[in-house]
Amino acid sequence: MIIVLKSNDQETIAELQQHFSNTHEIFVHHNRVAIQGITAADLSDSEREAATELINDVPKAVQGSREFHPEDTVIKTKHSIIGGDNFTMMAGPCSVESEEHVMKMAAVAKANGATILRGGAYKPRTSPYSFQGLGEDGLKFLRRAADQYNMDVLTEVMDDEHVKLVAKYTDIFQIGARNMQNFSLLKAVGKTNIPVMLKRGMSATVDDILNASEYIAAGGNHNIMIAERGIRTFDNKYTRNTMDVGVVPVLQKLTHYPVIIDPSHASGHTEFVTPLALAGVAAGASGLVVEIHDDPAHALSDGPQALKPNEFKELSDKAFAIRELLTTGLPVEQAEAGR
Amino acid sequence: MIIVLKSNDQETIAELQQHFSNTHEIFVHHNRVAIQGITAADLSDSEREAATELINDVPKAVQGSREFHPEDTVIKTKHSIIGGDNFTMMAGPCSVESEEHVMKMAAVAKANGATILRGGAYKPRTSPYSFQGLGEDGLKFLRRAADQYNMDVLTEVMDDEHVKLVAKYTDIFQIGARNMQNFSLLKAVGKTNIPVMLKRGMSATVDDILNASEYIAAGGNHNIMIAERGIRTFDNKYTRNTMDVGVVPVLQKLTHYPVIIDPSHASGHTEFVTPLALAGVAAGASGLVVEIHDDPAHALSDGPQALKPNEFKELSDKAFAIRELLTTGLPVEQAEAGR
Amino acid sequence: MIIVLKSNDQETIAELQQHFSNTHEIFVHHNRVAIQGITAADLSDSEREAATELINDVPKAVQGSREFHPEDTVIKTKHSIIGGDNFTMMAGPCSVESEEHVMKMAAVAKANGATILRGGAYKPRTSPYSFQGLGEDGLKFLRRAADQYNMDVLTEVMDDEHVKLVAKYTDIFQIGARNMQNFSLLKAVGKTNIPVMLKRGMSATVDDILNASEYIAAGGNHNIMIAERGIRTFDNKYTRNTMDVGVVPVLQKLTHYPVIIDPSHASGHTEFVTPLALAGVAAGASGLVVEIHDDPAHALSDGPQALKPNEFKELSDKAFAIRELLTTGLPVEQAEAGR
Amino acid sequence: MIIVLKSNDQETIAELQQHFSNTHEIFVHHNRVAIQGITAADLSDSEREAATELINDVPKAVQGSREFHPEDTVIKTKHSIIGGDNFTMMAGPCSVESEEHVMKMAAVAKANGATILRGGAYKPRTSPYSFQGLGEDGLKFLRRAADQYNMDVLTEVMDDEHVKLVAKYTDIFQIGARNMQNFSLLKAVGKTNIPVMLKRGMSATVDDILNASEYIAAGGNHNIMIAERGIRTFDNKYTRNTMDVGVVPVLQKLTHYPVIIDPSHASGHTEFVTPLALAGVAAGASGLVVEIHDDPAHALSDGPQALKPNEFKELSDKAFAIRELLTTGLPVEQAEAGR
């Protein structure tokens, strides 16, 4: 149950905490107090009277819910603002391949509007015999490239033991799709104050995503964004996964966390990346995370889905233009001329 | 195999037809001759020499393929041009409910850029005890409303016996998702010259769609468009289906038929229809087909997914604006200002 | 709502029919009267008093439901009894290829316990250029082969126009997976009194199947069996479909119609047919329908999934043995010896 | 490539290792040497001549493949033999709830043929606010109960940090479905010599499972079994997941590891557990892992899918009987009497 109080009713909040915090999970956000497992009958008369609204039907992932936290979460890093009315471009190579290469990719990313540099130093590969990433060296190269271009770093952390190490280099943790329900890892990043991009698992329902995010929030870290990167369906002959673009407005209704689109993993093929990216922007996503490479044929991983610099420029131009059009409201004459 | 000849080499085309048409399926499109089940060794020397290119790897759905028919199919009806660089809006009620009502909806559709009026007179309902449509009366009402507003009619035909009857009233046949592999029905509409909108089945792969379209083309009717209306996946708690927006560029690569998005059936909920529609436009769809109703709560079918007139206006304005932006190329300053 | 009366209370049944049949769908089965869209408040005092039980929560597919019709449906044809405690083997070639061939296959089927001969004369092929079946000639050959071996015929009917023609030759209609929601066809076979095997669509939910069966029942034909033949999932590299063996007990709980397993289409590969068939029997299916061919490599359709005669013999022996074991109860000593 | 040598040709094996082990992944099993990324042209003349067979097409998960390791893996624990011709019953509560309770459940399991006691001490729950297990206390209780009844312990390990701790108490590690691609965890258990039951992820393809198993094998631990526990599909109204019984023969063809069925998670409902379990046995599974509880309504987790002791007895009796029937070959008279 969520008890909505008058704003700044610190007294009732204190009363509720004293009343319930020994026996129930209790969360406070401004004038909202969520208490798991109680009903109105459990409240005292004074508590009930102080409430301006009682919301009974609360999802298990309460801290991530709009009912508990109506306003958008806006995440601020050194170089980026993510969520709310902002639109954030993130780009970089799939794997960090060398210092020189990631430096070059950072330049391309920055020149086309990206403020966040992505790159993998630890790679979750389906086969143990595939390239597993450069490890800490990769983290160092990525950090230097981002610093050079005044960007933030986004990189994957694969297990709870590495959280401390990766934290030394990154501005944002990425939790990969295969680890979306690795609860030990979620708990570990939840104990840091570093923002987390949680990627949707290949067959994760909307509720699964929200519950996974709650593992992070439960540790005290509320700087969470959720990334759609395609789901598994019956049809995977021409694309690697099926991008569920509808999850953007669905998540935006249910949660206050920013929703990001990863068109690279969703499509798996360069030629389909831009249409999927633009679809995500048109559906209202708060940002894109795109894989780029100057020589995809020789990329150490996922080359077939990496955009070349000029392709990324085109994507980026169109993406910002669509976002601008949707945010500012469109000139009526222009819309009518279009017919 | 597809044999590409010099343009206007009628002589070799005649030779190939004489050589193979008794024993093989043979199709001609301008300077391209597709012959199923042969290899280069089956050609005579003169045939081989006349070829400027030999394409060996041809899909079963040859007539629908880009290899056989590289240029876009553009379908012309009395009031609409569908495909190519055009963008077509189609709207109307799920079911035709009365003459007065469909007339009102036609006015709303037309006022917001639609040139095609959709509406069901025969409804494929999951239960035999649900409202099954007004039948021929519905067709008459729909026809009158379309004529009143200078629009084309799009309506579903559910079985081969009704093809003749529906043909008297409609400008475009709709084949519903549940009938996408009703091959008898596909053959029946393939024998007419009325354009067909083929809706993707709930679990149809891209190849399934193309093969189904070939049943229509095999009868001689090449005025085909394909509509994505959401597929079945593991996640259907918040949306009725999962819209596979990636199928738009995939189909555009493989086939020359226009690709249409139906955001109403894909989402199943009003609040998600517009984001899905815009995603479809941004991905490059040639048109939208949208369900509208002035009083969704009392609609005879599918009310929860119908847009009200003002909601449809907003969708339409934004859809045309995004299409305009993508087609005309975007002003660079505007794109950069967006950052 | 279902009103359960004392057995043989014809008077109240007549009263209910008079009261409701002009305004509501009403169905009677022995002492049970199902009336759609009413509540207890709509009953007269005498009607309410005559009820021994009122069941409020009735599925849309009421006639197929256990609530309305608690006892198993048992379908009797000339040579077979399907459902209840019976176990029925059905076998034959995918397509009827010639009179001689289907005669040979009938001999194999019969010799191994089959009482129903399956075979396709009209084939729903994904491509219009694939072999479409022998048509009426195929039906004649199939009929003669079945008669020769005292078997029943099971064959697919693909459209409502052909229902009359196929009815002249078959003992059981098959509705194929692609036509499971071809409601015109379902209505057409529902008006006959010939038993129907309804195959589950590739992405049909349990409720979809039951609603489809209700289209047949609504026409007055209650001799329905349901066949599981594999569904579409994300994994189809090694099997054609994913056999949903769990649907057997689920359907048996919800409906009184016999449930049949088609392991041939579920697996798509000979080597996996027998394990899937036995799994279906162990889960409680009322029968199997299996594709057989003496020379699978040269079959006109679906050769890769056809069992050779000796393979079918092995399947059949094991299937009957497992069924026997489950039906008769197992000797305790034998079970314990197995450990 | 796999090079098959005459048995006991140690000389060539040594030559191959010297030739390739610095530059390629190389694996030896008896007379088979698998070397990743080479072709016949890379072999010396003497190496090529020593080969009795060269297998070019080897899956990435080479150590798990039948091509590399043709004979069944048979895993021996103190009280159980798993794989080959053996059939193994595993049972116990979902969560360890108390020492007394797990002791009671061990008695039930043992009395009905189980030699392995399952139970969760660390529970991967979708919500962070649900019961997370008793932790090390749970492990202790489980160990004592197993010892009391001469059984082996099977319990889940959720992260690489806990591998050492859990190893102190368990005989078999369970890797849960959500962690199937937690590669850090797989590597960690791969470095132990404790057998591992790897549960299939909710949307894991057959290749995904095999690649995941290879992460364990790559560390040197080859005592692996694979458990099917249901996959995610479009239909989950009546069962929690869809049990893919066909994966049993598919895996048995591709890999030498034993395949186990978990009917409890596959169905999610008591009433469907036994039919699914028997289906798995009939399809050829090497064992079952079943959740049992004496008071399911008050179980701390997953009560709705737990069998009561008498239900488990019935399942077990039938499962052993079917296994016996399939293994020993069936008495022909009995099979024919069944018709």
Side-chain angles (χ1 to χ4, degrees):
Chain A
M1 156 170 285
I2 293 172
I3 301 142
V4 186
L5 304 167
K6 284 191 190 123
S7 51
N8 218 13
D9 179 357
Q10 297 302 322
E11 202 179 327
T12 308
I13 290 176
E15 185 185 332
L16 285 164
Q17 282 182 313
Q18 201 178 347
H19 186 174
F20 291 106
S21 64
N22 286 334
T23 49
H24 292 77
E25 296 275 358
I26 181 165
F27 308 102
V28 179
H29 175 69
H30 299 327
N31 61 323
R32 288 171 186 248
V33 182
I35 307 174
Q36 296 227 324
I38 67 162
T39 67
D42 297 313
L43 298 176
S44 71
D45 287 351
S46 66
E47 287 163 353
R48 210 157 29 226
E49 275 158 28
T52 62
E53 191 188 349
L54 292 176
I55 305 174
N56 287 304
D57 192 19
V58 178
K60 280 191 290 183
V62 58
Q63 294 190 81
S65 73
R66 285 274 183 199
E67 289 91 340
F68 175 66
H69 185 307
E71 67 277 16
D72 287 347
T73 280
V74 177
I75 300 171
K76 290 179 186 161
T77 57
K78 199 168 171 193
H79 303 288
S80 312
I81 309 175
I82 307 158
D85 290 336
N86 307 283
F87 183 76
T88 307
M89 184 65 78
M90 320 180 193
C94 178
S95 295
V96 178
E97 303 186 358
S98 70
E99 179 163 3
E100 187 194 359
H101 185 259
V102 70
M103 202 58 88
K104 205 164 155 187
M105 291 304 96
V108 170
K110 186 61 185 290
N112 292 291
T115 58
I116 296 175
L117 179 65
R118 63 143 291 149
Y122 299 92
K123 300 299 304 171
R125 307 303 299 278
T126 46
S127 166
Y129 312 124
S130 300
F131 175 61
Q132 307 272 317
L134 295 181
E136 190 169 358
D137 279 348
L139 294 175
K140 287 178 184 165
F141 301 156
L142 191 62
R143 180 73 266 166
R144 284 180 209 148
D147 287 346
Q148 177 74 26
Y149 290 96
N150 296 312
M151 300 176 79
D152 298 307
V153 163
L154 164 68
T155 198
E156 179 159 355
V157 58
M158 279 182 59
D159 52 64
D160 42 341
E161 287 188 19
H162 278 74
V163 167
K164 269 187 199 161
L165 176 68
V166 176
K168 285 167 54 185
Y169 298 97
T170 200
D171 300 296
I172 308 172
F173 285 127
Q174 176 179 303
I175 304 289
R178 290 174 187 77
N179 274 323
M180 194 199 84
Q181 292 188 312
N182 177 342
F183 298 127
S184 303
L185 176 58
L186 298 176
K187 285 177 183 172
V189 299
K191 284 176 202 147
T192 76
N193 60 2
I194 296 176
V196 181
M197 174 187 279
L198 177 65
K199 297 187 93 172
R200 181 185 190 177
M202 267 177 282
S203 65
T205 63
V206 168
D207 286 347
D208 287 341
I209 306 169
L210 296 176
N211 282 319
S213 77
E214 196 75 2
Y215 268 91
I216 304 169
N221 186 349
H222 301 287
N223 287 315
I224 299 168
M225 61 193 110
I226 297 170
E228 162 68 24
R229 41 76 77 210
I231 56 172
R232 277 231 164 120
T233 69
F234 58 85
D235 201 8
N236 52 12
K237 180 168 172 184
Y238 299 104
T239 52
R240 187 167 165 179
N241 295 290
T242 299
M243 190 172 97
D244 179 11
V245 73
V247 88
V248 176
V250 169
L251 281 172
Q252 288 173 337
K253 181 187 177 188
L254 299 173
T255 184
H256 45 90
Y257 300 131
V259 183
I260 307 298
I261 287 285
D262 170 354
S264 307
H265 287 85
S267 71
H269 297 282
T270 304
E271 59 195 324
F272 306 133
V273 170
T274 298
L276 287 188
L278 302 183
V281 178
S286 290
L288 294 173
V289 54
V290 181
E291 293 190 358
I292 58 176
H293 203 283
D294 53 334
D295 184 10
H298 297 95
L300 293 184
S301 61
D302 281 350
Q305 71 194 32
L307 290 190
K308 290 186 188 168
N310 64 322
E311 294 166 335
F312 177 57
K313 179 182 173 8
E314 190 197 331
L315 177 152
S316 183
D317 286 351
K318 288 182 176 169
F320 279 105
I322 291 177
R323 177 69 181 191
E324 173 79 2
L325 186 157
L326 293 177
T327 309
T328 59
L330 69 165
V332 175
E333 324 80 72
Q334 183 189 332
E336 289 184 353
R339 289 175 196 171
Chain B
M1 155 169 285
I2 293 172
I3 301 141
V4 186
L5 304 167
K6 284 191 190 121
S7 51
N8 217 11
D9 179 358
Q10 296 303 322
E11 202 178 327
T12 309
I13 290 175
E15 186 185 331
L16 286 163
Q17 282 181 315
Q18 202 178 346
H19 185 174
F20 291 105
S21 64
N22 286 334
T23 51
H24 291 77
E25 296 276 356
I26 181 165
F27 307 101
V28 179
H29 175 70
H30 299 327
N31 62 323
R32 287 170 185 248
V33 182
I35 307 175
Q36 298 229 322
I38 68 163
T39 68
D42 297 312
L43 297 176
S44 70
D45 286 352
S46 65
E47 288 163 353
R48 210 156 28 226
E49 276 158 28
T52 61
E53 190 188 349
L54 291 176
I55 305 173
N56 287 305
D57 192 20
V58 179
K60 279 191 292 184
V62 57
Q63 295 191 79
S65 73
R66 285 274 183 199
E67 289 91 340
F68 176 66
H69 184 306
E71 68 278 16
D72 287 346
T73 281
V74 177
I75 300 171
K76 289 178 188 160
T77 56
K78 199 168 170 195
H79 303 288
S80 312
I81 309 176
I82 307 159
D85 291 336
N86 306 283
F87 182 76
T88 308
M89 184 66 79
M90 320 181 195
C94 178
S95 296
V96 178
E97 302 186 358
S98 69
E99 179 163 3
E100 188 194 358
H101 186 260
V102 71
M103 201 59 87
K104 207 163 154 187
M105 291 304 97
V108 170
K110 186 62 185 290
N112 292 292
T115 57
I116 296 176
L117 179 65
R118 65 143 289 150
Y122 298 91
K123 300 299 304 172
R125 307 303 299 276
T126 45
S127 165
Y129 312 126
S130 299
F131 173 62
Q132 306 272 317
L134 294 183
E136 190 169 359
D137 280 348
L139 294 175
K140 286 178 185 166
F141 301 156
L142 191 62
R143 181 73 266 167
R144 282 181 210 149
D147 288 345
Q148 176 73 28
Y149 289 96
N150 295 314
M151 299 176 80
D152 298 307
V153 162
L154 163 67
T155 198
E156 178 159 356
V157 58
M158 280 182 57
D159 53 64
D160 44 341
E161 286 189 20
H162 277 75
V163 168
K164 269 188 199 160
L165 175 67
V166 176
K168 285 167 54 185
Y169 298 97
T170 201
D171 299 295
I172 308 172
F173 285 125
Q174 177 179 304
I175 303 289
R178 289 174 188 77
N179 274 323
M180 195 200 84
Q181 292 188 313
N182 177 343
F183 299 127
S184 302
L185 177 58
L186 298 176
K187 286 177 182 171
V189 298
K191 284 176 202 148
T192 74
N193 60 2
I194 296 176
V196 180
M197 172 186 280
L198 177 65
K199 297 187 93 171
R200 181 186 192 176
M202 267 176 283
S203 66
T205 64
V206 168
D207 286 347
D208 286 341
I209 305 169
L210 295 176
N211 282 319
S213 77
E214 196 76 3
Y215 267 91
I216 304 170
N221 186 348
H222 302 286
N223 287 315
I224 299 169
M225 60 193 109
I226 297 170
E228 162 68 23
R229 40 78 75 209
I231 56 173
R232 276 230 166 122
T233 69
F234 58 84
D235 201 7
N236 52 13
K237 180 168 171 184
Y238 300 104
T239 53
R240 187 167 166 180
N241 295 290
T242 298
M243 191 173 97
D244 179 11
V245 73
V247 88
V248 175
V250 169
L251 281 172
Q252 287 173 337
K253 181 188 177 187
L254 299 174
T255 185
H256 45 90
Y257 300 132
V259 182
I260 307 298
I261 286 285
D262 170 354
S264 307
H265 286 85
S267 71
H269 297 281
T270 305
E271 59 196 324
F272 305 133
V273 169
T274 297
L276 288 187
L278 301 184
V281 177
S286 291
L288 294 173
V289 53
V290 181
E291 292 190 358
I292 58 176
H293 203 284
D294 51 336
D295 184 10
H298 296 96
L300 292 185
S301 61
D302 280 351
Q305 70 194 33
L307 290 190
K308 290 187 190 169
N310 64 322
E311 294 166 335
F312 178 57
K313 179 182 175 7
E314 191 198 329
L315 176 153
S316 184
D317 286 351
K318 289 181 176 169
F320 279 105
I322 291 178
R323 176 70 181 191
E324 173 79 2
L325 186 157
L326 294 176
T327 310
T328 60
L330 67 165
V332 175
E333 324 82 72
Q334 183 189 333
E336 290 182 353
R339 288 175 198 170
Chain C
M1 155 169 286
I2 293 172
I3 301 142
V4 186
L5 304 167
K6 283 189 191 127
S7 51
N8 217 13
D9 179 356
Q10 297 301 323
E11 201 178 329
T12 309
I13 291 175
E15 186 184 332
L16 286 164
Q17 281 181 315
Q18 200 177 348
H19 186 175
F20 291 105
S21 65
N22 287 333
T23 50
H24 292 77
E25 296 274 357
I26 182 166
F27 307 101
V28 179
H29 175 69
H30 298 328
N31 61 323
R32 286 170 186 247
V33 182
I35 307 175
Q36 297 228 322
I38 68 162
T39 67
D42 297 313
L43 298 176
S44 70
D45 286 352
S46 65
E47 288 163 353
R48 211 157 28 228
E49 276 158 30
T52 61
E53 190 188 351
L54 291 176
I55 304 174
N56 287 304
D57 192 20
V58 179
K60 281 191 291 183
V62 57
Q63 294 190 80
S65 73
R66 285 274 183 198
E67 289 91 341
F68 176 66
H69 184 306
E71 67 278 16
D72 287 347
T73 280
V74 177
I75 299 171
K76 290 178 187 162
T77 56
K78 200 168 170 194
H79 303 288
S80 312
I81 308 176
I82 308 157
D85 291 336
N86 307 283
F87 182 75
T88 307
M89 184 65 79
M90 320 181 194
C94 177
S95 295
V96 178
E97 303 186 358
S98 69
E99 180 163 3
E100 187 193 358
H101 185 259
V102 70
M103 202 59 88
K104 206 164 154 188
M105 292 302 97
V108 170
K110 186 62 185 290
N112 292 292
T115 57
I116 296 176
L117 179 66
R118 65 143 290 149
Y122 298 92
K123 300 298 304 172
R125 307 303 299 276
T126 46
S127 165
Y129 312 125
S130 300
F131 174 61
Q132 307 272 318
L134 295 182
E136 191 169 358
D137 279 348
L139 294 175
K140 286 179 185 165
F141 301 157
L142 192 61
R143 181 73 265 167
R144 283 181 208 147
D147 287 346
Q148 176 74 26
Y149 289 96
N150 296 313
M151 299 175 81
D152 298 306
V153 162
L154 163 69
T155 197
E156 179 159 354
V157 58
M158 280 183 58
D159 53 64
D160 43 342
E161 286 188 21
H162 278 73
V163 167
K164 269 189 199 160
L165 176 67
V166 176
K168 284 168 52 186
Y169 299 97
T170 200
D171 300 296
I172 307 172
F173 285 126
Q174 177 179 303
I175 303 290
R178 290 174 187 77
N179 274 322
M180 194 201 84
Q181 292 188 312
N182 177 342
F183 299 128
S184 302
L185 177 57
L186 298 176
K187 286 177 183 172
V189 298
K191 284 176 202 147
T192 74
N193 59 2
I194 295 176
V196 179
M197 173 187 280
L198 178 65
K199 296 186 94 171
R200 181 185 190 177
M202 266 176 282
S203 66
T205 63
V206 168
D207 286 346
D208 286 343
I209 306 169
L210 296 177
N211 282 318
S213 77
E214 196 76 2
Y215 268 91
I216 304 169
N221 186 348
H222 302 286
N223 286 316
I224 300 169
M225 60 193 109
I226 296 171
E228 162 68 24
R229 41 77 75 207
I231 56 173
R232 276 229 166 122
T233 69
F234 58 85
D235 201 8
N236 51 13
K237 180 168 172 184
Y238 300 104
T239 52
R240 186 167 167 179
N241 295 290
T242 299
M243 192 173 96
D244 179 11
V245 73
V247 87
V248 175
V250 169
L251 281 172
Q252 287 173 337
K253 181 189 176 187
L254 299 174
T255 185
H256 45 91
Y257 300 132
V259 183
I260 307 298
I261 287 285
D262 170 355
S264 306
H265 287 85
S267 72
H269 297 281
T270 304
E271 59 195 324
F272 306 133
V273 169
T274 298
L276 288 187
L278 301 184
V281 177
S286 291
L288 294 173
V289 54
V290 181
E291 292 189 359
I292 58 176
H293 202 284
D294 51 336
D295 184 10
H298 296 96
L300 293 185
S301 61
D302 280 351
Q305 71 195 32
L307 290 190
K308 291 187 190 170
N310 64 322
E311 294 166 335
F312 178 58
K313 179 182 174 6
E314 190 197 330
L315 176 152
S316 183
D317 286 351
K318 288 182 177 170
F320 279 104
I322 290 178
R323 176 71 180 191
E324 172 80 3
L325 185 157
L326 293 176
T327 310
T328 59
L330 67 165
V332 175
E333 325 80 74
Q334 183 188 334
E336 290 182 353
R339 288 175 199 171
Chain D
M1 155 170 284
I2 294 172
I3 302 141
V4 187
L5 304 167
K6 283 189 191 123
S7 49
N8 217 13
D9 179 358
Q10 297 302 322
E11 202 179 327
T12 309
I13 290 175
E15 186 185 332
L16 286 163
Q17 281 182 315
Q18 200 177 348
H19 185 174
F20 290 105
S21 64
N22 286 333
T23 50
H24 292 76
E25 296 276 356
I26 182 166
F27 307 102
V28 179
H29 175 69
H30 299 329
N31 61 324
R32 287 170 186 247
V33 182
I35 307 174
Q36 297 228 323
I38 67 162
T39 67
D42 297 313
L43 297 176
S44 71
D45 287 352
S46 65
E47 288 163 353
R48 212 160 23 230
E49 275 159 29
T52 61
E53 190 187 349
L54 292 176
I55 304 174
N56 287 304
D57 192 20
V58 179
K60 280 190 292 183
V62 59
Q63 295 191 80
S65 73
R66 285 273 184 200
E67 288 91 341
F68 176 65
H69 185 307
E71 66 279 15
D72 288 346
T73 280
V74 177
I75 300 170
K76 288 179 188 161
T77 56
K78 199 169 171 194
H79 303 288
S80 312
I81 308 175
I82 308 158
D85 291 335
N86 306 284
F87 182 76
T88 308
M89 184 66 77
M90 320 180 194
C94 178
S95 296
V96 178
E97 303 186 358
S98 69
E99 179 163 5
E100 187 194 358
H101 185 259
V102 71
M103 203 58 88
K104 206 165 155 187
M105 291 303 96
V108 170
K110 186 62 185 290
N112 293 292
T115 58
I116 297 175
L117 179 65
R118 63 143 291 150
Y122 298 92
K123 299 300 303 173
R125 306 303 299 277
T126 47
S127 166
Y129 311 126
S130 299
F131 173 62
Q132 306 272 317
L134 295 182
E136 190 168 359
D137 279 348
L139 294 174
K140 287 177 184 166
F141 302 156
L142 191 61
R143 181 72 267 166
R144 283 182 209 148
D147 288 346
Q148 176 74 26
Y149 289 97
N150 296 313
M151 299 175 80
D152 299 307
V153 162
L154 163 68
T155 197
E156 178 159 356
V157 58
M158 279 183 59
D159 53 64
D160 43 342
E161 286 189 20
H162 278 75
V163 167
K164 269 188 199 160
L165 176 67
V166 177
K168 285 167 52 186
Y169 299 97
T170 201
D171 300 295
I172 307 172
F173 285 126
Q174 176 178 304
I175 304 289
R178 289 173 188 77
N179 274 324
M180 194 200 84
Q181 292 189 312
N182 178 342
F183 299 128
S184 302
L185 177 58
L186 298 176
K187 286 176 183 172
V189 298
K191 284 175 201 148
T192 74
N193 60 1
I194 296 177
V196 181
M197 173 187 280
L198 177 64
K199 297 187 91 171
R200 180 185 192 177
M202 267 177 282
S203 65
T205 64
V206 168
D207 285 348
D208 287 342
I209 306 169
L210 296 176
N211 282 320
S213 77
E214 196 75 3
Y215 268 91
I216 304 169
N221 186 349
H222 301 287
N223 287 315
I224 299 169
M225 60 193 110
I226 297 171
E228 160 70 23
R229 41 77 75 209
I231 57 172
R232 276 231 165 121
T233 69
F234 59 84
D235 201 8
N236 52 12
K237 181 168 172 185
Y238 300 104
T239 53
R240 187 167 166 179
N241 295 290
T242 298
M243 190 173 99
D244 179 11
V245 73
V247 88
V248 176
V250 169
L251 281 172
Q252 287 173 337
K253 181 187 177 187
L254 299 173
T255 185
H256 46 89
Y257 300 132
V259 183
I260 307 298
I261 287 285
D262 170 353
S264 306
H265 286 85
S267 71
H269 297 281
T270 305
E271 59 195 323
F272 306 133
V273 169
T274 297
L276 287 187
L278 301 184
V281 177
S286 290
L288 293 174
V289 54
V290 181
E291 293 190 358
I292 58 175
H293 202 285
D294 52 335
D295 184 11
H298 296 96
L300 292 185
S301 61
D302 281 350
Q305 71 194 32
L307 290 190
K308 291 187 189 169
N310 63 321
E311 295 165 335
F312 177 59
K313 179 182 174 6
E314 190 198 330
L315 176 153
S316 184
D317 286 350
K318 289 182 176 169
F320 279 104
I322 291 178
R323 177 70 180 191
E324 172 80 2
L325 186 157
L326 294 176
T327 310
T328 59
L330 67 166
V332 176
E333 325 80 74
Q334 182 188 334
E336 290 182 353
R339 287 173 199 174

